[in-house]
Amino acid sequence: MNIQLSDKINALEASATLAMAAKARELKAEGKDIISLSLGEPDFNTPDFIKEAAIQAINDNYNSYSPVDGYVELKDAIITKFKRDNGITYDHSQIVVSTGAKQSLYNVAQVYINPGDEVILPCPYWVSYSDIIKLAGGVPVEVKTSIETDFKMTAEQLEKAITPKTKMLWYSSPCNPSGSIYNKKELRALADVLQKHPDIIVVSDEIYEHINYIGGHASMAQFEDMYNRTVTVNGVAKAFAMTGWRIGYIGAPTEIARACNKMQGQVTSGANCIAQRAVITALEAPVSKIQYMIDEFKERRTLILDLLSDIPGFECNKPEGAFYIFPDISYYFGKTLQGSLIKNATDFSMFLLEKANIATVTGIAFGNNNCIRISYAASKEDIIKAVKRIKEVVS
C-alpha cells in the first residue's frame, strides 16, 4: 500500500525545540553526558499548594467531561487575574480555557486566518508561530530585529510591514527566545500605528508574564483603543512550573472567543478536569507564592551572562524576562572548529551537541540565523559545567 500523507503535514516543520530535546534524550540513553539547555521548561516541581488542590479535586470526584471553554470557577479566577495583574476587564463570554497556550494560539489562527492572509511576526518569535499560521493558510511576514534594538520591533518597522493583506500581528512579551519585554511606551507606539489600520487584530502572548526582572508588565489590551482588537494569551506552564498540566487560556473579543469555543468543541473539547481545578488555586494565589522561582531564575541569568562574557564571539543582550539567553554567535560563521565548518546557527548548535555534549536550539527556528537559544532553566551546577564545555570546544 502506498500511503500518501497530506500536503499540509508534509509541509509542516517539526518543532525545533522538541526535536533537539528528543535528540538530547536519545544521546543520554546511549550513555553520553548531555546537558540539555534546549527545552523551555522550568526545572522546579509544581508548588505543593497547587498539587494539593489537584489531589482534593480527585477526592471530590472531578472525573466527568468539563465544559468546552472551561469551568465557570476557573473563568472567574482568570477574570480576576486579568483585572488584578493586567488592568483588563473581561467577562465569561470572552474567556476560553484550552489544553495549553499552544492550543489557544492554534484555535485563534484557525478561526481568524483565511488562505493568503498575512500575519506580522517580529523576529525572533516563538518557534511554533510560523507553522501554526501556515497550517491555517496564512502567510508569516517576518520583521527582522537585532541585538542592538534588544530584539524588539519598532513602530516604523511595523508600519513598513503592513500591506492590504495584513490580518494580524503576533508577538510575545516577555519574548521567547530573546527575553525582551515591550514596555508600555513601546506598545503604545505600535498601537498608534495600528490605529491607522483598524482591521488588524493583535495576538499578545504573555505566557512568561511573571518571569519578569524589571517589573511593570504591560499588555496591549490595556489600551482602550486596542481592547476590542487584542487576543491576550496566557497560561500556567512557565511561572507555575506546570508545563505537563496543559492549561492555557485567552481573553479575547467575544466573537473570537465564541469561535474558538466552537472550534475546540470539534477537536479536543474541554481541558483536563483535574488540571483545571488545580489552576483555580494557582491563579487565585498571590504572585508572591512563586517569587522564589523568579528570584532563582534571575540569579541564573546573572551567572550565565557573566560566564558567557568570557567566551569570544558570544554577543549577548541582557534579557529582561523569561529564562533564555539568545547570543549572536555569527562571529564563528566561516570558521572551522575541530574539523567542523560553521556556516550558520544550525551548524553551531549541532557542533555544541556533538563536541561539547550541550543541547541548544538554532536561532533559525525562531527566525534569526545569527543566534542560538540557550535555556537557563537548569541548575547552577549544570550552567557552570555547560559554559565551561562550550568555552573549551570553541577555544
Side-chain angles (χ1 to χ4, degrees), residues 39 72 88 100 189 304:
L39 203 55
V72 170
I88 308 172
I304 195 168

Side-chain angles (χ1 to χ4, degrees), residues 87-256:
I88 308 172
T89 301
Y90 290 116
D91 62 37
H92 289 85
S93 69
Q94 296 175 283
I95 305 295
V96 179
V97 178
S98 300
T99 305
K102 185 179 283 190
Q103 185 183 22
S104 298
L105 291 162
Y106 181 84
N107 286 346
V108 172
Q110 290 293 322
V111 306
Y112 205 74
I113 296 172
N114 285 315
D117 287 343
E118 293 180 353
V119 180
I120 294 173
L121 296 179
C123 297
Y125 50 79
W126 181 51
V127 62
S128 291
Y129 286 171
S130 181
D131 282 288
I132 287 174
I133 290 162
K134 289 175 184 176
L135 275 173
V139 179
V141 176
E142 297 184 351
V143 176
K144 301 297 182 182
T145 66
S146 68
I147 198 168
E148 287 74 28
T149 61
D150 220 16
F151 297 112
K152 289 187 275 192
M153 178 180 67
T154 65
E156 293 74 20
Q157 287 179 302
L158 174 60
E159 184 74 80
K160 288 179 182 177
I162 293 173
T163 75
K165 293 183 178 180
T166 303
K167 190 79 174 282
M168 307 183 86
L169 161 66
W170 285 32
Y171 71 92
S172 61
S173 179
C175 176
N176 176 1
S178 70
S180 302
I181 296 176
Y182 286 93
N183 61 40
K184 193 169 184 178
K185 182 178 179 181
E186 290 163 339
L187 288 182
R188 183 64 256 177
L190 298 178
D192 288 343
V193 171
L194 294 171
Q195 293 312 303
K196 308 172 194 176
H197 308 276
D199 294 329
I200 297 175
I201 292 289
V202 175
V203 171
S204 176
D205 182 350
E206 303 179 16
I207 190 74
Y208 290 92
E209 171 190 6
H210 293 309
I211 308 176
N212 179 326
Y213 311 124
I214 60 172
H217 176 80
S219 299
M220 184 68 82
Q222 286 177 310
F223 300 126
E224 187 176 349
D225 54 3
M226 291 303 299
Y227 173 78
N228 287 319
R229 301 173 53 186
T230 301
V231 178
T232 307
V233 180
N234 213 319
V236 294
K238 310 301 182 178
F240 293 90
M242 297 178 70
T243 51
W245 297 68
R246 309 310 302 136
I247 298 291
Y249 55 87
I250 62 169
T254 302
E255 295 83 357
I256 293 178

Side-chain angles (χ1 to χ4, degrees), residues 71-97 227 249-251 283-284:
Y71 286 119
V72 170
E73 297 93 332
L74 178 51
K75 286 190 172 192
D76 287 337
I78 292 168
I79 289 168
T80 299
K81 174 261 173 296
F82 273 129
K83 185 68 175 176
R84 178 193 68 203
D85 299 339
N86 311 102
I88 308 172
T89 301
Y90 290 116
D91 62 37
H92 289 85
S93 69
Q94 296 175 283
I95 305 295
V96 179
V97 178
Y227 173 78
Y249 55 87
I250 62 169
L283 294 183
E284 287 180 344

Side-chain angles (χ1 to χ4, degrees), residues 23-39:
K23 181 66 174 176
R25 286 193 295 268
E26 179 184 315
L27 292 173
K28 275 187 177 181
E30 294 174 3
K32 293 191 176 181
D33 180 21
I34 303 295
I35 300 176
S36 182
L37 304 179
S38 61
L39 203 55

Side-chain angles (χ1 to χ4, degrees), residues 260-271:
C260 289
N261 185 25
K262 179 180 179 182
M263 173 81 186
Q264 192 163 293
Q266 294 289 13
V267 181
T268 58
S269 298

